[in-house]
Each structure stands twice: as structure tokens, then as C-alpha cells.
Amino acid sequence: MEFDHSKPQRLLQQSARDLFARQCPPKRVRELMATDTAFNPELWSAVADQGWLGIHLPEQTGGIGLGTVELAVISEEMGRACFPGPFLGTVWAATLLAATNPHAATLQKLTTGELKGAVALLEPEGGWDLADIQLQATPVEGTYTLSGKKSFVLDAITADVLVVAARSPKGLVLVAVPASATGVKIEPTAALDATRKLADISFDNVQIDPDDVLADRKQAEEALSKSLDVVALCACAEMLGGMQWILETSAEYAKTRQQFGKTIGTFQAVQSMLADMVLWTESVRSAVYYAAWAIDADPADARRAVGIAKAYTSDASREVANRGVQVHGGIGFTWEHDLQLFYKRSKALEILTGDSAYHRAALVELVFDQA
Amino acid sequence: MDLGLTDSELKFRDELRAWLKANLPKKMVKSADNAKEYYQYLSDWQMALYKGGWAGVSWPKEYGGRGSSFIEQAIFQEEMALADAPERMGTIGQGLVGPTIIAVGTEEQKKKYLPRILSGEDIWCQGFSEPNAGSDVASLETKAVLDGDHFVINGQKIWTSYAHIAQQCLLIVRTDPAAAKHKGITALLVDMKTPGIEVSPLKMMSGDSMFNEMFFTNLRVPVSAVIGKVNEGWNVAITALANERANLGTGLYVIFKRNLDAMVDQAKRLKRGGRPVIEDPVIRQRLAQAYVDLEVFRLNTTRSLSMLNKTGAPGPEGSIQKLYWSELNQRMAQIAMEVLGPYAQLTDYDGGRWVYNYLRSRGNTIEAGTSEVQRNIIAQRVLGLPRSY
Ligand SMILES: Cc1cc2nc3c(=O)[nH]c(=O)nc-3n(C[C@H](O)[C@H](O)[C@H](O)COP(=O)(O)OP(=O)(O)OC[C@H]3O[C@@H](n4cnc5c(N)ncnc54)[C@H](O)[C@@H]3O)c2cc1C
């Protein structure tokens, strides 16, 4: 047993850190967040060329056949760089396709970055339960037509392929839809974390190609739940990277900023905040990497492990971000300071796949009601 | 990252499981209803662990340990929790004095003391704090003067846990009053039966007396009882404190888990507003908070043992563990009170365990270094910030 990165995992982490330091400094992030898409072709290719869009997927699907731990390593480094653009949406779509239709030509194109993806799950009510999925899928001759509305869809603005969760009279269905299909209308929504874009999508009698029907009922539910675990895990790993950035930046600031003739890091109230930030960050590290490992190696425990990670990390990340601003004083509250990037990303990730309260409620059912 | 077990780790786990199956007490005594009976129960269990070769998993074989790694130690903790095994007895000896003797003791000291720590025959106490030397323990005043081959000791210790039942004490005293405060300290391994030690119980907030005052009047301790070197006892104390912070928590998951299970059980049994308490959405959130925090503690413990396996000696990260478990236990004790409603205040409800837990947990953020001191250590030694005092 080794509860630490292996040597190859450390190398992967270092190369991701180096790449993002070179190609994705905060200046770049700011340029991209000011655009409508937060998308930059060179940055996208840099990541796609590494194979990271399919790092956790089998080679037959165009992936590189590593695991969720490696995906977490990359996500952590992305969090540390506040990496902008549609990585997560694309990985999510690819994960769902790999689970339901591994031979789809679009899958290869998603993992190589030729196409970009998004998963349309939430609806205007904003509930993360599968039961909240009500978008209408009407059965017609071995396929469906879709009508209704999706909301809060991450990375839809840039997506070529949408994986859509809908409901037919018989239950849940998962379909793939080209973003350009007739009857699909994607409208950007302005949101707090501008480094990643959200959108509403309306479907007006959209015809699904029979080859793009991915799964229904039990199979659709399982694929969706498992993919949600992977995305929640990525969100946690990103938060971890962000927390680490905030912690290091704040500790550094505390060593240089002077007040009352001393560096502010001499003041115990400041030290105390930073010490708590260490505790939260290290605890999140344990939770994230256990969950990442469990997703591949102990699937029976994955749901619980991810629930714990998301419940804990969502709170801890927010606390660290809050303390980070407080340690910086006025400068930490400005648009100019890069803290704001991480602060907002943290909040958006806290919400993604459900916040702490949501995951706690699910955990009680899982571990106490059934016991 | 591989949390799976290697073949030899699996073998270790399976042997342990088989042993537990055959040796777990038939009748589980779950709380200290009857202090004497509970004490006997824990000593019997400790002796059984020792005889089975499980008492000191990561301690050297020649001193009664198993000679395995910290990874096996982590597996051991997990299995104890899974089996809902009794807690271990003699935590000061096992968590802090033993590792200190292993690190800096002489061969003779190791042979003499370590096996008896593991068997539970020797209960140790830690004579560090004094009325005027708490967080700043290096300012201690208990004086030791050399007289031939003995030190003659006069002074007082306070808050000494288990001094009333202990056979041995790791005592720190001032041997050079002229030197700077960290320089004139010596650490001693003292037999508690030596004449000149008076132990007087102190009542805790909970009403029981787990800790004590110790008064020394011309206590004569042979020079051979020195651990480390004369006037270099601060290093010994630091080793003991680092181990205390890192190790005290490792066995606690079993106890905390048992508390949480009992709490959930109460929530299922008690009714308020015409429905089981566990159906109250606020209580559900609170129980889940306890559960999440507890499981993260478990993962932190496993990870820190895995890291310890690489580094060999506990570092300042131990303060993270100490801070975590002490505050966790307080939060859990509060959540239990919320589950119980008005029953929470009854001192004989459920054997009094909830009132006891609630009160006892207050001490957690004071003993073994206050939370403020732990945060100082993290800020200064993990992050490299300047000393604030
Ligand atoms: C249940 C229990 C069991 C114990 N068992 C033992 C034992 O077996 N052996 C033993 O030797 N001792 C034992 N102790 C004593 C314990 O180690 C001390 O109580 C502790 O170190 C604090 O010392 P103090 O009580 O003198 O408080 P003080 O040091 O006077 O602290 C009072 C307050 O000031 C704060 N403070 C002090 N210095 C600083 C600083 N530098 N920065 C920020 N805040 C500061 C503290 O955090 C605390 O809030 C035990 C205590 C308890 C409660």
C-alpha cells in the first residue's frame, strides 16, 4: 500500500505544472475569461496533444489508458492554474460515450481534442438527482425526438457534441446530439466564474440519429451516475489545486507584507488562518486521492468515497478561499489580484455536481438508512 | 497511489483477521460503566495483543514488537476499527514514551521498558507540565541536583494523566538553572514507587480524576535513569511531543467510530415530533457532517502512516493530526447532544457516556499541546513563518 503518488504520477504532475506555468499564466486566464468562449486553440492543442482529454479512458477509445488518479493529477494542476476552457465538459462527454458507445467515431475525436463536448444534465429547477431529469424524449421508430430545456450546461458554448440526459415514457435515456442539429438553440448565461462558460439549451423537436442513442433506463442511469462521480472527483481535484495556490500565495504574502514594522506573518491571528488552510488542504488531499483510487480499484466504494470527498472539499475549499482573501487584506478584494480567479472558480466547483449539503444528504441515505 | 495491499500485506491482514476472530473478547464492554471492570477488560485485551504479537506492530521484534512497517500499522488500525475491537491501553507508553525510548534510549533501557509497555504491565505517565510551565513547558522549574550517582529532585508537576495508576514516568527536570531555558533540562525514566513522589488526584470537569498533581520531595533517581544526555533533555522532550502529536490520534478512529454508530443508533430510536430523530433533515445533515469529518480523519491517518513509512520520524505534520482529531471529537460530542435533545443532559442516560464525552472532549484541544500551539507549529514549521512570540 502506498498512499502517495507513484514516481510516474509525480512526473506527470510536474509536466502538467510546467506546461501550465508556461502556457497558462494568470494573464492568459484573464484574457480568455474576457472572451465569449474562454477557448484558445493553442492552449487546447497543448493539452489535447498530451492525451489528457482521455487520460483515464482505454486506448481503444483514443484514450491513453491510465486511471482516475492520473485524471485527478491533471485536474489538480488545472485547478492550480485556473485552466480556462472546455476541458471538463469534453472529458465528461467522452467518459459517458466510452461507457455507452465505445466505438462511436465522435469519441475518438473528443479524446484527441478534434471535437469539444458538453453534457446537458441540469434543467431550470437545478436539481442534481437523476429524478430531476424531465426533458422529454419521445420515442419514434427506434430513436427519439427531444423537446424541452436544459440549463447551467458547462462548456456548451464551445461544444460540437452534446450528450443529453432526457426522459422517455420508459425512463431515462442518454443521447448524443450535434450542437448544430436543427432545433438546438444554445444561449450563453453570464456566470460568476467567467473562465468557464455556462449556457441554457432549448430543444425544439430535435431528431436524434438512431446511432446516437447511447443508453436507456438502468444502463443510462448507471453510466450517468458513474460519470457524475468522475466529474465530482475532477471538481474536487481542481479545488485542491486551487486551495494549494491560494495557500502558497497567501503564505508568501504573509512573509513579505509589512505592517506595524513587522511582516504580517508574524501576527498570530494571521498564522492561525494559514494553519487552518494547511489542515483543510491536506485533508482534501487525502479525501481526493482516496476517492480517485476507489473509482478504479474499489468501485463498490466509489460512490461513498466521492460523496465524502465532494462534501468535505466543497466546504474546505470555500473556507480556504475566504481565508486567502482575508490574509491579503484590501488587495485580495481587488479585480487586479489573481485571487479573484481562484475564488470564483472555487465557488463554481462547489456547486458543480452538488454542494456539501447535497452530498451529505446522499451519504446519510447510503450509509445510515441502509445499515 | 496504490491503496491495495501487496501479497505480504494481505498475509498480514489475513493473519490478523484470523487472530481477531479467535481472540476478540466474547463479551464486549463498551464503556466505562464500571471503571475497575473496564480497566481489567482493557488490560486483559492489551496482554492478549502482546502475547499474540500484535501490540507493537511497527516496533522492533527484539523488544516485543512485530518488526513490521508503518503500513502494517495502518492496516492494523483499520482492522481494529472493522472488528470494533477494544481500545488499547497505555496510550502514553505506546504513543509517546515507547517511540522516544526507541529513538534515543540505550539498549538496556529498550530491553527493560519496551516489552512491558506493549504488554500493558507498565502504565506510563508523562511528567512535563507544571503550574507555571504549560504551553511553555521548557520554562519548567522542578529542580534536580546531582548527589553522587543520584539526582535529588524537588518540585511539582501538574495535569499528569494516569499518575495514580502508573508504574513509570517520563519526567523532565531542570539540572542546570544557570543555562538558557532549553539547555538545562534532563529527561528521566522514573519508577513511580520511588519514595519522595506524592500523587494527588485532580478532578476533571467531568467529575472523575484521570489526571493528578505530583509533588517531589527529595526524590532520589539514579543517574542511570537519564534518557538521552544530561542537560540535553529538551531534545528528548521534543521527540516525545512530536510522537504524542502524531500518534495519539492513530488509535482514536475506532473509538470515534463507535461513538458515531451509537449516535446514529440513538437517532433511530428516539422520537421527536412524532418521527424518529434520524428523519429530521437538520439532524441528518449534522450526522453526515460527523461522518464525513470522521472518514477524512481516517484517510488522513492512513496517509500520514504511509508518509511516516518513508520519512521514519514524525514531523510537524503531526500537529495537523492533533488539531484535526481534537476539534473533530468536540464537534461530534456536540452533534450527539443535538441528537439526544433533552436526554443529552442526563448523567445516567446510556450509562452517562454522552455527558462524559461532551465534557471530556473539552480537554482534547488543551492536552498534548493546545490548538493554538498546534497552529503555531504548523505556521512556523510547515509554512516557515516567523515566530510570533
Ligand atoms: C485532559 C488533560 C490531560 C493532560 N495530561 C497531561 C499529562 O499527562 N502530562 C503533562 O505533562 N501534561 C498534561 N496536560 C497538560 C497540558 O499539556 C497543558 O494543559 C497544556 O500544554 C496547556 O498548558 P496550560 O494548561 O498551562 O495552559 P497555558 O499554557 O497557560 O495556556 C492558556 C491559554 O493560552 C494559550 N497560549 C499559551 N501560549 C500560547 C502561545 N505561544 N500562542 C498562542 N496561544 C498561547 C493556550 O493555547 C491556552 O488557550 C493535560 C491537560 C489536560 C487538559
Side-chain angles (χ1 to χ4, degrees):
Chain A
M1 178 179 74
E2 183 172 35
F3 202 151
D4 192 12
H5 290 347
S6 65
K7 209 164 172 202
Q9 286 160 352
R10 254 198 303 278
L11 288 174
L12 177 68
Q13 178 176 43
Q14 194 56 50
S15 68
R17 189 168 295 186
D18 293 345
L19 187 149
F20 296 140
R22 265 192 329 270
Q23 307 223 27
C24 188
K27 187 167 166 289
R28 195 81 182 269
V29 178
R30 283 172 180 271
E31 282 160 17
L32 288 172
M33 72 187 222
T35 66
D36 292 339
T37 57
F39 178 76
N40 171 284
E42 289 99 70
L43 198 51
W44 184 252
S45 321
V47 167
D49 291 350
Q50 301 289 331
W52 292 342
L53 285 159
I55 192 166
H56 62 307
L57 296 176
E59 283 166 55
Q60 310 86 275
T61 66
I64 49 178
L66 294 170
T68 310
V69 172
E70 284 78 8
L71 177 61
V73 167
I74 296 302
S75 300
E76 182 185 341
E77 291 309 312
M78 285 189 162
R80 203 172 196 276
C82 200
F83 186 84
F87 181 82
L88 198 47
T90 305
V91 166
W92 190 357
T95 303
L96 270 174
L97 275 169
T100 53
N101 191 8
H103 303 298
T106 39
L107 175 55
Q108 297 268 353
K109 291 183 177 165
L110 286 170
T111 52
T112 54
E114 193 180 322
L115 296 179
K116 298 175 289 298
V119 175
L121 173 73
L122 287 189
E123 300 189 1
E125 279 192 351
W128 291 101
D129 282 338
L130 299 191
D132 292 320
I133 297 167
Q134 293 299 333
L135 182 92
Q136 223 176 61
T138 311
V140 274
E141 294 158 24
T143 179
Y144 300 93
T145 59
L146 299 189
S147 286
K149 206 172 167 201
K150 290 285 181 185
S151 297
F152 315 102
V153 184
L154 183 71
D155 299 335
I157 290 295
T158 40
D160 305 292
V161 186
L162 303 170
V163 175
V164 185
R167 190 165 297 279
S168 82
K170 284 195 178 155
L172 205 64
V173 294
L174 276 178
V175 300
V177 188
S180 58
T182 317
V184 174
K185 200 164 152 224
I186 302 177
E187 299 220 52
T189 40
L192 158 100
D193 174 17
T195 65
R196 267 180 185 156
K197 307 297 181 184
L198 299 181
D200 287 339
I201 311 179
S202 57
F203 296 86
D204 182 11
N205 222 8
V206 177
Q207 318 277 327
I208 306 301
D209 185 322
D211 290 342
D212 284 341
V213 176
L214 302 175
D216 67 358
R217 292 182 285 182
K218 194 126 206 92
Q219 203 209 346
E221 282 170 25
E222 260 171 37
L224 204 51
S225 301
K226 283 191 182 164
S227 77
L228 272 165
D229 284 346
V230 172
V231 173
L233 191 272
C234 288
C236 292
E238 273 197 35
M239 283 190 268
L240 171 60
M243 291 165 85
Q244 188 69 42
W245 186 93
I246 295 170
L247 171 61
E248 286 171 17
T249 306
S250 305
E252 203 41 52
Y253 188 70
K255 286 177 194 171
T256 49
R257 168 76 175 164
Q258 303 248 340
Q259 284 296 286
F260 300 96
K262 293 175 178 167
T263 57
I264 57 163
T266 316
F267 304 131
Q268 206 165 56
V270 171
Q271 292 196 352
S272 186
M273 287 194 272
L274 288 161
D276 283 334
M277 290 161 75
V278 171
L279 180 142
W280 283 313
T281 306
E282 289 310 307
S283 300
V284 163
R285 196 178 303 288
S286 304
V288 164
Y289 281 99
Y290 172 69
W293 177 82
I295 284 177
D296 296 338
D298 189 4
D301 199 34
R303 185 74 282 286
R304 191 187 70 96
V306 171
I308 290 167
K310 190 64 173 55
Y312 188 87
T313 308
S314 298
D315 283 343
S317 175
R318 181 183 63 246
E319 295 292 351
V320 165
N322 287 341
R323 299 298 189 285
V325 173
Q326 191 67 22
V327 167
H328 279 80
I331 193 75
F333 185 63
T334 61
W335 184 266
E336 276 68 34
H337 200 288
D338 293 331
L339 264 171
Q340 63 127 327
L341 307 177
F342 296 87
Y343 192 84
K344 294 170 184 171
R345 173 65 68 85
S346 168
K347 194 62 182 174
L349 291 169
E350 183 186 336
I351 294 165
L352 186 67
T353 75
D355 63 6
S356 296
Y358 175 79
H359 283 277
R360 282 196 294 262
L363 278 168
V364 173
E365 267 179 48
L366 186 69
V367 284
F368 297 144
D369 291 349
Q370 287 159 26
Chain B
M1 269 300 299
D2 187 2
L3 293 166
L5 304 186
T6 64
D7 287 347
S8 73
E9 289 161 2
L10 271 176
K11 189 163 159 273
F12 172 89
R13 189 199 67 183
D14 291 343
E15 270 178 45
L16 176 55
R17 282 191 179 171
W19 184 85
L20 280 171
K21 204 164 167 211
N23 291 280
L24 266 183
K26 300 284 171 289
K27 181 175 153 267
M28 296 284 252
V29 181
K30 295 227 169 175
S31 64
D33 285 353
N34 174 335
K36 255 214 167 101
E37 184 197 357
Y38 194 57
Y39 183 81
Q40 191 55 49
Y41 169 74
L42 292 185
S43 339
D44 290 349
W45 173 241
Q46 190 62 42
M47 184 57 91
L49 280 173
Y50 176 66
K51 288 192 172 146
W54 301 103
V57 171
S58 59
W59 289 23
K61 255 197 177 128
E62 55 270 42
Y63 313 121
R66 198 177 190 83
S68 300
S69 71
F70 289 105
I71 300 289
E72 272 88 5
Q73 184 68 42
I75 297 169
F76 176 82
Q77 304 306 349
E78 292 270 306
E79 291 301 317
M80 290 290 128
L82 272 179
D84 199 16
E87 64 204 82
R88 52 188 190 157
M89 198 183 65
T91 47
I92 291 186
Q94 290 170 46
L96 144 195
V97 179
T100 305
I101 294 176
I102 292 173
V104 294
T106 62
E107 184 58 30
E108 206 186 326
Q109 287 167 339
K110 290 178 189 172
K111 283 207 182 99
K112 178 171 174 194
Y113 295 115
L114 295 176
R116 292 175 62 86
I117 289 177
L118 292 180
S119 67
E121 287 161 288
D122 280 356
I123 298 298
W124 281 75
C125 62
Q126 174 195 16
F128 282 25
S129 305
E130 297 183 2
N132 292 320
S135 298
D136 182 16
V137 71
S139 65
L140 62 93
E141 290 161 7
T142 293
K143 215 162 71 181
V145 178
L146 198 58
D147 176 24
D149 56 0
H150 279 71
F151 283 109
V152 181
I153 300 170
N154 284 284
Q156 183 195 347
K157 294 288 171 180
I158 194 170
W159 320 124
T160 324
S161 302
Y162 310 115
H164 56 303
I165 54 168
Q167 283 78 32
Q168 305 287 343
C169 176
L170 173 60
L171 183 68
I172 51 177
V173 295
R174 184 154 309 279
T175 37
D176 184 357
K181 75 175 177 183
H182 294 98
K183 297 278 162 68
I185 294 173
T186 299
L188 299 163
L189 304 169
V190 178
D191 185 336
M192 288 294 284
K193 282 197 298 290
T194 321
I197 306 178
E198 187 199 332
V199 175
S200 141
L202 285 168
K203 239 186 198 181
M204 299 194 292
M205 186 194 256
S206 52
D208 55 334
S209 296
M210 186 274 302
F211 57 24
N212 308 269
E213 287 181 288
M214 289 199 292
F215 299 94
F216 310 119
T217 319
N218 295 326
L219 164 67
R220 293 180 70 83
V221 176
V223 172
S224 63
V226 172
I227 173 164
K229 294 200 179 102
V230 174
N231 290 333
E232 291 179 19
W234 183 243
N235 291 332
V236 181
I238 293 272
T239 304
L241 293 170
N243 275 288
E244 180 177 39
R245 293 191 289 264
N247 297 345
L248 279 196
T250 46
L252 289 175
Y253 176 77
V254 187
I255 300 170
F256 293 173
K257 181 69 171 50
R258 198 171 291 148
N259 283 343
L260 179 61
D261 289 345
M263 224 185 274
V264 171
D265 193 51
Q266 290 289 336
K268 286 180 175 172
R269 263 195 277 163
L270 292 171
K271 276 191 174 174
R272 279 201 294 278
R275 63 180 181 184
V277 170
I278 191 141
E279 288 175 18
D280 176 333
V282 175
I283 292 290
R284 291 173 79 76
Q285 284 288 318
R286 298 290 280 151
L287 287 171
Q289 270 171 344
Y291 178 76
V292 167
D293 286 357
L294 178 61
E295 289 302 296
V296 171
F297 171 57
R298 184 187 132 225
L299 295 171
N300 278 346
T301 303
T302 308
R303 188 158 75 93
S304 71
L305 283 168
S306 184
M307 301 314 265
L308 192 54
N309 207 43
K310 293 183 174 175
T311 59
E317 312 78 40
S319 290
I320 301 174
Q321 284 284 92
K322 165 71 210 328
L323 192 55
Y324 195 115
W325 73 253
S326 56
E327 300 195 341
L328 166 65
N329 199 31
Q330 291 177 349
R331 288 196 297 273
M332 283 182 54
Q334 168 57 25
I335 293 171
M337 298 272 112
E338 293 168 27
V339 166
L340 295 173
Y343 288 96
Q345 64 201 311
L346 299 185
T347 51
D348 56 1
Y349 182 76
D350 204 6
R353 68 186 290 183
W354 302 107
V355 169
Y356 176 80
N357 267 354
Y358 183 71
L359 295 174
R360 179 62 186 84
S361 69
R362 266 307 107 197
N364 293 159
T365 48
I366 300 168
E367 61 198 305
T370 67
S371 288
E372 291 70 33
V373 166
Q374 307 300 343
R375 288 188 171 94
N376 291 342
I377 294 173
I378 296 169
Q380 290 157 22
R381 311 244 315 276
V382 178
L383 294 175
L385 293 167
R387 206 176 148 90
S388 63
Y389 49 92

